[in-house]
């Protein structure tokens, strides 16, 4: 202990520099000293106690920082807002995605192709007409029917097409 006691202030300085929190740094030094006392017999007799303690402290700090990175920031429950404690369920998103994919698969091929080119790929009606080698009027007709059918399929077979559906894009 004669070798360890004079090093404690320097260990605390190093721990505070590593962790930037005096309370956590003191805990780290305490853990370091416990480990050093418990494993004093494993120290090399010809080795320097100072470098051995710094190595223990450094390795404990690295382990602690990695553990914090995995776990995330610590926040007392009393200080946390309700919004941060609650997590919205994500099963609705999965079900909606499954229904959307099923509805897309149920569309006729010509309607599905037009719908995907215009809505997903962002092609204009003219570009879609050029890709599919069909008139622009046919693109607009197929797109309108595809949108109406998708609404019916997503709302259930009993669902009706809403009176106010999205406006078609302008032909450029």
């Amino acid at each position: 202990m004669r070798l360890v006691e004079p090093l404690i202030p320097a260990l605390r300085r190093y721990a505070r520099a590593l962790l930037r929190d005096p309370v956590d740094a003191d805990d780290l030094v305490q853990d370091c000293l416990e480990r050093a006392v418990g494993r004093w017999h494993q120290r090399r007799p010809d080795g320097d106690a100072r470098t051995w303690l710094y190595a223990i402290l450094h390795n404990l700090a690295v382990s602690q920082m990695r553990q914090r990175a995995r776990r995330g920031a610590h926040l007392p429950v009393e200080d946390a807002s309700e919004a941060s404690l609650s997590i919205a369920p994500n099963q609705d998103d999965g079900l909606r995605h499954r229904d959307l994919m099923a509805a897309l698969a149920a569309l006729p091929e010509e309607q599905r192709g037009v719908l995907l080119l215009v809505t997903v790929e962002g092609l204009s009606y003219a570009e879609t007409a050029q890709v599919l080698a069909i008139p622009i009027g046919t693109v607009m007709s197929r797109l309108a029917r595809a949108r109406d059918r998708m609404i019916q399929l997503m709302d259930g077979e009993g669902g009706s097409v809403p009176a106010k559906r999205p406006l078609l894009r302008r032909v450029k």
Side-chain angles (χ1 to χ4, degrees), residues 31-89:
D31 292 343
C32 172
L33 294 174
E34 286 176 9
R35 187 163 291 187
V37 169
R39 298 186 178 151
W40 190 258
H41 64 282
Q42 294 177 348
R43 185 180 70 87
R44 283 191 237 155
D46 61 338
D48 184 19
R50 181 175 178 225
T51 56
W52 185 64
L53 286 170
Y54 275 108
I56 291 173
L57 184 78
H58 180 78
N59 291 335
L60 286 172
V62 168
S63 297
Q64 188 176 17
M65 288 186 273
R66 285 180 182 160
Q67 187 178 43
R68 280 192 184 149
R70 281 193 313 269
R71 290 184 178 172
H74 174 72
L75 179 67
V77 174
E78 298 82 27
D79 297 342
S81 66
E82 282 187 40
S84 66
L85 294 176
S86 63
I87 298 172

Side-chain angles (χ1 to χ4, degrees), residues 1-17:
M1 290 310 294
R2 288 187 326 257
L3 296 173
V4 173
E5 192 173 344
L7 299 173
I8 293 175
L11 291 171
R12 288 181 74 202
R13 267 193 315 273
Y14 184 56
R16 285 182 182 191

Side-chain angles (χ1 to χ4, degrees), residues 83-150:
S84 66
L85 294 176
S86 63
I87 298 172
N90 60 0
Q91 46 291 38
D92 287 342
D93 295 337
L95 293 173
R96 205 171 299 117
H97 180 263
R98 184 196 66 194
D99 291 346
L100 177 68
M101 296 309 289
L104 271 173
L107 287 177
E109 179 59 39
E110 64 272 356
Q111 290 178 8
R112 185 177 338 131
V114 169
L115 183 68
L116 291 174
L117 287 173
V118 172
T119 59
V120 176
E121 300 302 327
L123 270 60
S124 69
Y125 294 163
E127 292 169 330
T128 302
Q130 196 174 23
V131 167
L132 298 175
I134 57 175
I136 291 178
T138 306
V139 169
M140 294 189 301
S141 173
R142 287 181 184 175
L143 183 61
R145 283 183 282 148
R147 286 177 174 164
D148 289 345
R149 185 67 182 142
M150 286 294 291

